Amino acid sequence: MTNEPINERYLKEQQGKPSATIPETIRMLEIAKSAFQNMPEQDEQVYQDMKDRFPATDEPLNIEGSAALLQAINEISEKKFDFIIPLKDIEITDFPLLAKTNSREVRFNIKEADTKNVMGTAVSTYGARKQFLDLAFSGNTFAERGFKRDATSEIIADFNELIKKAKPDEKYRFRLIQTGELSSNEYLLRSVSTKEGYKVYDNGVVLYMSLRAISDFSQRANKLFYVENAHVTDSRLDADFRSASAQKLNHDVSVQIGIHVSNSEIADSSATFTVIYWITNKKQTITLADGPLFSINHHYTSASIAAELRKALSLNERSTSIYKAVNEAQMYSPVDEISLEKIFQSLIRSTQKLPKNYRNQLENLKEIATQESYSLLQLFGKLQTLADETKDEDVIWYIRIRLNKFLKKEYGRS
């Protein structure tokens, strides 16, 4: 099994780059939708309601860099396909051991309905072999035992015999992906689910909701946004949208508000929209996270999605509370001993969230910080640098959230 994405695109610092237009966002939504065969009625309604929710004008989105982001996601969406295929139209041909990942995968033919003609072939990746064998046969453990006994041919024959006995209405939804290394009828199997079990809140519809909600807020608040960074893969979307203008606070401290959007098409979770902000003073900038602005569960109806999207308008209130906390914290002043103790003890005790090596580094940093009289901004910067060095996104985001909680608790009260 590999965690590496098959197709991916990165974007960095898109300030000043072209903004997409509203028609371009609708086109992106249509491209994303085209990947899904036999879309359930409820999901069809979600797509239609998303298009109807916002005015269909030719106006730009007021989000710099969004044109490049749409191009990136369209390029990946055009290589994704969701097919509902009867099990009887599948023929397992091999369980190859892939040298690149050292994983045993499943290769199968996809036959045209009610014929022996092969319309395509697929090889599993991302652990989709286990998904498929367990879902269709409860058979992954059986296969594993066969691999150990060098009985691949016998396993293939047994599974194909079960396939022949499948009922015509036994169908599954196969997420297939193409890459430049494959021919037009060759695919990688990304995931498998029951035909009813896979919701179609893919990156396209989540990005559409993000862009339209941010654009709507941008126009109401007269704030320009840009794409700070984005990572789009065949199954994930992570993007930061940052306000172009900064709120000036005391002693040359400034704050820029933004939204982090995260979605996984495969995981049974929610698309999350988190308030983030950047604090800058004397050429040093740190990033903190103020928690979710709203979230879209993969099983939400159109009405529930509409209710969540309206929460984007509360970003003004969230921004005001952030400005107040940062201003009163006096980020440029040395951290007093009481605050220092509160910050470090809360992190050192986070044994479930922070790895031991990071917590050990915190002990060393605490001693140095006591001697050096760091400002709050300097200390936060040191803590974030240590988190960045772990290259663990969970650690990085945990530190952003914990430091924000400290600020809001100590300085954000009315």
Side-chain angles (χ1 to χ4, degrees):
M1 177 178 176
T2 176
N3 292 319
E4 293 297 320
I6 300 167
N7 295 320
E8 64 181 334
R9 301 289 188 277
Y10 287 94
L11 292 175
K12 289 285 187 182
E13 298 174 358
Q14 294 291 301
Q15 188 171 20
K17 301 295 179 64
S19 173
T21 64
I22 289 176
E24 287 171 337
T25 66
I26 294 174
R27 173 60 180 155
M28 180 267 297
L29 192 64
E30 292 171 346
I31 292 173
K33 180 184 174 184
S34 67
F36 296 93
Q37 182 193 54
N38 300 327
M39 183 177 289
E41 184 177 341
Q42 177 176 309
D43 295 328
E44 282 271 11
Q45 192 62 48
V46 168
Y47 274 84
Q48 188 58 48
D49 288 350
M50 286 303 99
K51 290 170 66 175
D52 295 343
R53 175 173 165 74
F54 300 96
T57 69
D58 292 328
E59 296 294 319
L61 286 177
N62 217 26
I63 304 173
E64 294 177 340
S66 53
L69 182 53
L70 258 63
Q71 180 181 349
I73 204 162
N74 286 343
E75 289 172 355
I76 290 179
S77 292
E78 289 171 346
K79 298 294 185 180
K80 295 190 303 190
F81 308 90
D82 268 43
F83 294 129
I84 295 176
I85 304 172
L87 183 59
K88 66 182 182 64
D89 291 337
I90 298 294
E91 179 187 22
I92 296 175
T93 59
D94 197 8
F95 286 98
L97 181 63
L98 303 187
K100 183 178 180 180
T101 59
N102 195 34
S103 60
R104 182 77 68 173
E105 302 297 342
V106 58
R107 177 181 285 121
F108 56 86
N109 291 333
I110 306 168
K111 296 183 291 185
E112 294 179 4
D114 301 318
T115 75
K116 293 184 178 181
N117 298 329
V118 175
M119 60 177 289
T121 62
V123 178
S124 62
T125 186
Y126 280 119
R129 184 208 77 202
K130 182 180 186 302
Q131 270 187 330
F132 173 52
L133 295 182
D134 278 343
L135 192 60
F137 313 105
S138 299
N140 188 67
T141 300
F142 168 73
E144 291 279 3
R145 290 172 179 166
F147 300 151
K148 292 178 181 178
R149 292 171 171 80
D150 196 24
T152 301
S153 298
E154 291 82 354
I155 297 169
I156 292 171
D158 288 343
F159 283 135
N160 283 331
E161 192 62 32
L162 290 173
I163 287 173
K164 291 176 183 178
K165 297 177 181 179
K167 296 180 179 179
D169 62 349
E170 185 176 352
K171 301 177 181 180
Y172 299 96
R173 186 183 291 275
F174 292 79
R175 162 58 65 88
L176 303 175
I177 297 173
Q178 285 190 324
T179 71
E181 301 171 356
L182 302 175
S183 65
S184 59
N185 64 342
E186 292 180 317
Y187 305 91
L188 293 175
L189 175 65
R190 177 63 177 84
S191 68
V192 189
S193 72
T194 61
K195 61 181 181 180
E196 299 87 5
Y198 189 82
K199 294 296 178 180
V200 297
Y201 292 92
D202 90 328
N203 290 336
V205 72
V206 170
L207 180 58
Y208 180 83
M209 290 188 286
S210 307
L211 294 175
R212 298 306 300 265
I214 294 171
S215 180
D216 193 23
F217 172 81
S218 172
Q219 292 176 358
R220 291 170 184 261
N222 196 27
K223 285 181 179 288
L224 177 67
F225 281 78
Y226 66 93
V227 179
E228 169 72 7
N229 57 68
H231 182 206
V232 184
T233 78
D234 43 74
S235 63
R236 281 202 61 85
L237 167 66
D238 290 281
D240 291 338
F241 299 90
R242 183 170 178 172
S243 60
S245 59
Q247 179 70 32
K248 301 295 184 182
L249 303 177
N250 294 338
H251 295 271
D252 201 31
V253 175
S254 63
V255 175
Q256 288 171 281
I257 298 294
I259 294 177
H260 173 76
V261 178
S262 180
N263 180 58
S264 173
E265 296 180 2
I266 304 302
D268 187 18
S269 58
S270 302
T272 58
F273 302 75
T274 303
V275 178
I276 55 177
Y277 57 102
W278 294 262
I279 305 173
T280 300
N281 179 242
K282 296 180 179 179
K283 296 184 179 181
Q284 181 177 8
T285 299
I286 60 171
T287 308
L288 302 185
D290 192 45
L293 182 62
F294 61 92
S295 61
I296 306 293
N297 188 284
H298 285 193
H299 298 279
Y300 275 4
T301 63
S302 292
S304 298
I305 293 172
E308 288 296 306
L309 287 173
R310 284 194 288 271
K311 294 180 181 179
L313 299 179
S314 67
L315 186 56
N316 256 338
E317 296 175 17
R318 295 283 288 273
S319 302
T320 300
S321 69
I322 289 169
Y323 300 150
K324 178 181 183 298
V326 173
N327 213 26
E328 295 192 6
Q330 299 182 15
M331 305 294 294
Y332 44 84
S333 297
V335 186
D336 61 71
E337 290 186 12
I338 295 176
S339 295
L340 202 65
E341 189 69 20
K342 286 181 179 179
I343 292 168
F344 277 99
Q345 284 307 309
S346 68
L347 295 177
I348 291 171
R349 291 171 181 168
S350 300
T351 57
Q352 300 299 314
K353 296 291 186 179
L354 297 175
K356 185 177 181 179
N357 63 331
Y358 183 84
R359 288 182 280 114
N360 288 341
Q361 289 178 305
L362 290 179
E363 297 279 8
N364 297 331
L365 180 59
K366 182 181 178 183
E367 293 182 13
I368 297 171
T370 303
Q371 299 171 2
E372 295 292 332
S373 298
Y374 288 143
S375 70
L376 196 56
L377 188 70
Q378 287 175 319
L379 177 60
F380 281 12
K382 299 288 185 183
L383 292 168
Q384 289 201 337
T385 297
L386 291 180
D388 291 341
E389 289 173 354
T390 68
K391 301 186 185 304
D392 186 328
E393 286 296 314
D394 290 337
V395 172
I396 293 169
W397 278 95
Y398 183 75
I399 293 301
R400 290 176 175 178
I401 292 168
R402 292 295 300 185
L403 298 183
N404 168 75
K405 284 184 176 179
F406 171 81
L407 273 187
K408 300 296 279 294
K409 181 179 180 181
E410 299 296 322
Y411 305 103
R413 296 171 181 172
S414 301

